Amino acid sequence: MNSDKNVKVDQALDELCKLRNDIETELRLITVDAFNGEFTDFPENLAAEIVAIYKKRGIERLFSHQAEALQNVLQGRHTVVATPTASGKTLIYNAAALDALSRDPQAKSLYLFPTKALSQDQLAELFDMNKAMGDKLGLYTYDGDTPTSMRQAIRKQAQIVISNPYMLHSGILPHHTKWASLFENLKYVVIDELHYYTGVFGSHVANVMRRLKRICTFYGTQPVFIMSSATIANPADLGEKLIEEKVVLIDRNGAPRGKKMLVFFNPPVVNRQLGIRRSYVSMSREIAGILLKAGLQVITFANSRLITEILVKYLKNDFEKTVQDRGTVRGYRGGYLPKMRREIEKGLREGKIKAVVSTNALELGIDIGSLDAVVLASYPGSISSTWQRIGRAGRRSSQSLGVLVASSMPIDQYIVNHPEYFSGQSPEMGRINADNLTVLMDHIKCAAFELPFARGDRYGGENLEEILSYLAENQVLLRKDDKWFWTEEGYPADAVSLTRVTSDNFVVVDRTAGERVIAEVGFSDALETLHPKAIYILEGEQYVVEELDYENRKAFLTRSNADYYTDSITYTKIKVLDIFDETRLKNHNFSYGDVHVFSQVVGFKKLKFFTMENVGAGELQLPQQEMHTTAFWLTVKNDVLQCLDFSNEEKIEAVAGIAYLMKHISPVILLCDVRDVGVAIEDNLTKDPLQPGASVGNANLRSLLRNQADMTFADRFEPNIFIFDKYPGGVGFSETLYEKGKLLLEKALEIIDGCPCPSGCPSCVSPAIRVGGNHKAAARFLIKLLLDRLDN
């Protein structure tokens, strides 16, 4: 079977090389050789009953990393296992939990997964193990879908509780007295997909772990933490910051793997004057088609829900020609109802679905069987995420193929033109800041509700007594003798979201024929995808939004045969609250500090399917969203702009082009996802340096350039180019950029110099707004002036 698949993979690669020659474009190949694996015996201190069960299931020996990790766990050491996808990490914590139960039927384990789908996967795996042990284990999932009638029984009978951080935060810890049996006997805490716990979410979860350990101490237990992670740069450091304990790192992978080939495919230039390349979406469609025709089962990853649905529509149009073909191409993303997602997962495992297009929802370790090929429609934004997605193919030792189709974005072009960055660079670091004051304060309130604080207690790195006194002064806590007690009604965890975005989802209602719920959309995405007149796409079917009921979180849609889709336009404004540090130089300043970000969806574009032609637009008036975060900003001094020998239009476009480049280059320096940072431009020339003047964000810049003939405002313009953390409170990106501001400008200049377009394109400073503009040369000159390199 594997040899047949290997032949098909080789044939598909040959077809891709022919396509490269036919369209005269660039193709680069990275090969990861096959590995036969490294095996060893089960640890001697693993219960004989558990060893016998695994041998009965055909597992005679363990991969070397499994045995090493199990040995450390059984000796009571907190352990992080950082090995690639499909390397058997699940066996490690399952064997440890079952070993504990075989020795002590009262022993408990708590499994935490970042998504419900992963929890359901794990439960299915444990059910099989339970059958082998005579159905004597209490295995239960405990999440938001658990019926109220079952919850009391679970609290009493569960020996392995499978849950998620959200439920632990709001459903278990605040009611710990009802879970006394769990906490009094808690042996292991499993944290799966450790690499997922970064940014503000990871900062919150680290505080949830502080609260968990505090309650375990109250009940007299000290559980061992078992953490599994995909390959990231700092798994041990992230694990230690998450649980605030020393950990043992196991990162030498002993699992066998098939040969993996990763192809970097750069779409051909179709307009050399404007530097415009063929659409990466249509290129991904063609490549996925080649792989499907070769007889391979294919998963295509897109970076947004919109592109996911567009590709589903294209592939259905190409391959579902008959009734028998229906359902062979599916989409998969957040917002699909749980029943539909389980159906798609089953279809993939059984091989009935030949192609699936997904957002990062299938990037995590959900069991979807053995796929043959992966297409990445644009760079996912991080090295670790790329390898995680590529790892979805060839999961059972067979040869596999991955194709990364570059978009015109600067970061994509940087990756395909610098393969050494991808193959030689360490994966990204997981960053958290558990002592972010906003996050910390929220969880101190939650912890005080769960157990009163006493003088001398420790919680986090800040002065705990000072925070407790502040809360007491504001009558949130009551101080009595040397203890602080919760005084308000209700429990605070209910008001604290681990993602710092409201947990309200918008319900999507189709009223074409009656009313039926067809999907859910998260609050942060709803205004961009469910605004009035938006085209909402679900599994390739189009719906038009007729009404958005913002107050009741509902959107009402009807079926549509529109030949276009919509893309929202968001306007961003920034207000500086505090400057933490500033470097004043001759021609520019670097600064970073606290900012308030205002964003609003102000309109939308209508783009035709297949051709991407802009066929219309509309204006919107939707509620403004606000966020307090941190930012780095570059201030270009007004007299520097004035000395440039370019027109005012070219100067302003050059500033916008540099901002565009900085936003897309920042992730290369930060080793983060491009979606983790935002960009805005403000005018610095105001009386109060902490109060920027009129916003001139990119959308506004274009409007000014089109409508203002004399451009005299440019004479008074001193731009601040902001790159801000897209996480409330910030997670340290801004400080890093502040320290590496010069490097950011050097990388920008490198991309401009290396781009073959004559006057600006999406791969460098973005296309010119006005015909005949020369803003690329203006941007290049300005950056060289800032770097003091005009003699080069």
Side-chain angles (χ1 to χ4, degrees), residues 115-129:
T115 67
K116 291 180 191 175
L118 283 169
S119 300
Q120 294 297 328
D121 256 14
Q122 188 57 55
L123 188 63
E125 169 80 13
L126 281 168
F127 273 145
D128 290 342
M129 296 295 294

Side-chain angles (χ1 to χ4, degrees), residues 650-662 679 681 696-698 701-702 705 717 721 765-766 769 775:
E650 289 168 339
K651 293 176 188 177
I652 302 305
E653 277 199 72
V655 170
I658 292 171
Y660 173 83
L661 258 180
M662 287 172 62
V679 64
I681 304 172
V696 284
N698 286 351
L701 272 173
R702 290 175 180 267
L705 286 163
F717 183 41
I721 301 174
V765 293
S766 76
I769 296 172
H775 75 301

Side-chain angles (χ1 to χ4, degrees), residues 16 19 265 283-292 375 403 405:
L16 291 178
L19 176 64
F265 205 101
M283 200 81 252
S284 299
R285 170 196 183 186
E286 184 171 354
I287 289 171
I290 288 171
L291 302 178
L292 282 166
V375 178
V403 185
V405 183

Side-chain angles (χ1 to χ4, degrees), residues 624-672:
Q624 182 174 262
Q625 305 301 305
E626 300 182 23
M627 177 177 66
H628 179 179
T629 186
T630 58
F632 155 79
W633 62 96
L634 162 70
T635 304
V636 180
K637 295 181 180 178
N638 176 260
D639 57 354
V640 173
L641 273 187
Q642 297 311 310
C643 78
L644 298 183
D645 190 19
F646 293 91
S647 69
N648 282 342
E649 293 93 334
E650 289 168 339
K651 293 176 188 177
I652 302 305
E653 277 199 72
V655 170
I658 292 171
Y660 173 83
L661 258 180
M662 287 172 62
K663 186 232 182 341
H664 287 91
I665 298 168
S666 294
V668 177
I669 293 173
L670 294 168
L671 296 177
C672 73

